[in-house]
Amino acid sequence: MKALLCEHHGPAEELVIRDLPEPDPGPGEVVVAVAAAALNFFDTLIIRGRYQEKPAFPFSPCAECAGTITAIGEGVAGWEVGERVAAWVGHGAAREKVVVPAEALVRVPDQLDDAQAASLFVTYGTAMHGLIQRAQLKPGERLAILGASGGAGLAAVEIGALLGAHVIACASSPDKLALAREHGAQEEVDYTQTDIRTALKKLTDGRGIDVLYDTVGGELAEPALRAMAWEGRYLVVGFAGGEIPKIPLNLLLLKGCDLRGVYWGDFVRREPAAHRRNMERLLDWAAGSHIRAHIHATLPLERWVEAYALIGNRKAKGKIVLTL
């Protein structure tokens, strides 16, 4: 079978496609023939050794996939060969077949195609965990999203709107903001044209933001934090801007606000029951067309360099999916 492999840390151009033996499932596992595998921003970090987790070489990127069960291991019940499934695997999905723990599988409703199903776990799962478990977002609260047109940002826009928040999209161009509006944002800030702190204060009549969902970090973090409301919750989701910001802690004291980390991968491992409830709710929304992952591009596995460039150069508006 074909597999996209990272054999040493470096840029996407140094990944390779190799032929590997067909995998066999162990106890409690299944083999999934991958039809679609979704890339995320952290995939640009993990291949360079800049992510929290550093898999042993060689490894395949892509943490989420959708496909069909082709083999079932000992002790697995409730699943059949031929069923359509999706899963989050941490890494390793950019290959024709992947071994997945049965407990990680989710059935794919007939209404969802493989690219959609493969695009829901990381970005939408992170948004669900961030806004529900970490922020405890309430209907009517003002939610600002930095990087609102990327895969993670658009998911937060949609989930925030479904949870009843007043959603303010923050992005770097009019077309990105228009995309966020299509997905449920009610107001917008172009942070290349205006000071984000001033704009967010103005949009909230000086009150400030109740919840801020930050996928960008960098130089936007501190001015955004200065726009928080009393008892606001600033969610640290990612650093697409490149730099990890250094936050003056006196701002938390003066604002009476919280800085909260959102680490979805560890949440899945630590609280599997809560994760399962989130995903079941999410798939119900997807099956009912209440959410739909915006897919910027679907590319064959062999065009992985182009796919990585779209994310690394911040050209992607939504998800990038590799097909096999």
Side-chain angles (χ1 to χ4, degrees):
M1 68 166 186
K2 288 189 302 184
L4 180 65
L5 295 179
C6 178
E7 297 180 331
H8 59 265
H9 290 139
E13 291 82 357
E14 296 178 9
L15 300 177
V16 293
I17 290 181
R18 304 286 192 205
D19 283 321
L20 299 180
E22 295 274 333
D24 293 316
E29 297 176 334
V30 303
V31 173
V32 175
V34 177
L39 281 168
N40 294 276
F41 177 73
F42 67 77
D43 282 300
T44 68
L45 303 178
I46 198 169
I47 63 171
R48 293 176 177 266
R50 297 178 182 172
Y51 193 56
Q52 298 97 313
E53 298 178 6
K54 295 177 173 59
F57 299 122
F59 68 89
S60 292
C62 291
E64 51 191 341
C65 63
T68 305
I69 295 175
T70 60
I72 295 175
E74 181 183 350
V76 174
W79 298 100
E80 296 180 0
V81 170
E83 283 193 275
R84 293 182 65 224
V85 294
W88 177 75
V89 294
H91 65 272
R95 53 180 62 197
E96 289 182 320
K97 290 185 178 180
V98 63
V99 176
V100 181
E103 62 184 10
L105 298 175
V106 178
R107 285 185 174 85
V108 176
D110 292 338
Q111 299 93 324
L112 295 181
D113 62 30
D114 291 317
Q116 279 287 317
S119 299
L120 290 174
F121 281 79
V122 175
T123 52
Y124 283 87
T126 299
M128 292 285 282
H129 170 51
L131 297 177
I132 293 173
Q133 278 85 25
R134 301 300 291 139
Q136 299 174 334
L137 182 69
K138 304 176 186 64
E141 287 194 309
R142 294 187 180 274
L143 165 67
I145 298 162
L146 302 190
S149 70
L154 281 177
V157 168
E158 289 187 278
I159 299 299
L162 282 169
L163 294 174
H166 183 86
V167 180
I168 303 171
C170 305
S172 60
S173 68
D175 61 324
K176 290 181 178 181
L177 291 168
L179 179 62
R181 274 195 175 272
E182 290 173 13
H183 284 253
Q186 292 151 287
E187 294 185 285
E188 59 194 46
V189 173
D190 183 339
Y191 44 67
T192 66
Q193 301 298 315
T194 185
D195 175 69
I196 192 167
R197 174 182 179 271
T198 302
L200 290 176
K201 282 284 193 177
K202 183 177 179 180
L203 288 176
T204 58
D205 298 321
R207 180 176 177 273
I209 297 298
D210 298 302
V211 175
L212 194 138
Y213 192 92
D214 183 5
T215 72
V216 179
E219 63 184 12
L220 292 175
E222 184 176 330
L225 179 59
R226 291 179 182 275
M228 295 301 293
W230 182 257
E231 295 187 343
R233 287 86 76 201
Y234 189 119
L235 303 181
V236 181
V237 183
F239 309 105
E243 294 295 324
I244 297 177
K246 295 177 174 59
I247 298 297
L249 293 181
N250 65 306
L251 293 178
L252 304 183
L253 184 152
L254 295 172
K255 292 281 182 182
C257 66
D258 295 347
L259 195 62
R260 303 183 182 183
V262 180
Y263 189 7
W264 179 75
D266 219 33
F267 162 71
V268 172
R269 287 186 285 269
R270 292 173 181 270
E271 301 183 49
H275 163 63
R276 173 64 61 178
R277 290 193 295 271
N278 282 356
M279 292 310 300
E280 288 174 348
R281 189 177 184 185
L282 182 59
L283 287 171
D284 283 344
W285 278 339
S289 299
H290 299 295
I291 62 169
R292 181 173 177 80
H294 181 78
I295 297 174
H296 178 91
T298 301
L299 301 169
L301 184 69
E302 292 77 6
R303 291 170 63 185
W304 81 84
V305 174
E306 182 181 345
Y308 266 90
L310 286 168
I311 298 175
N313 296 332
R314 299 180 66 184
K315 299 294 185 184
K317 297 179 225 174
K319 295 287 287 193
I320 305 297
V321 177
L322 298 173
T323 57
L324 293 99

